[in-house]
Amino acid sequence: MAKKTSVEIVALQCTECKRRNYTTTKNRKNIQGKLEFSKYCPFDRKHTVHKETKVK
């Protein structure tokens, strides 16, 4: 049986085109809120805000 860890994999979704472009890890013990980064969206061809969503 696998160990239960506090690190989880999350997806980053573009706020403009609503596509999940990136995945990253998050330590739930250190970061309680949702992640939010300014990253490049290849579909919009510009830097946009990407927010945390669940990985399906």
Side-chain angles (χ1 to χ4, degrees):
M1 198 147 105
K3 281 186 171 181
K4 194 164 194 174
T5 63
S6 61
V7 177
E8 68 177 303
I9 298 172
V10 295
L12 297 177
Q13 181 179 19
C14 178
T15 56
E16 293 189 21
C17 71
K18 306 298 182 200
R19 292 184 175 148
R20 292 183 178 103
N21 299 326
Y22 297 97
T23 57
T24 187
T25 57
K26 172 185 170 181
N27 188 340
R28 290 185 291 181
K29 287 185 179 179
N30 298 336
I31 304 169
Q32 268 71 36
K34 292 199 172 199
L35 294 176
E36 188 172 303
F37 294 110
S38 177
K39 301 204 49 98
Y40 180 76
C41 180
F43 300 101
D44 292 336
R45 293 192 216 148
K46 60 182 177 180
H47 281 83
T48 58
V49 177
H50 285 69
K51 293 187 178 181
E52 172 189 336
T53 59
K54 289 186 179 180
V55 175
K56 288 187 177 180

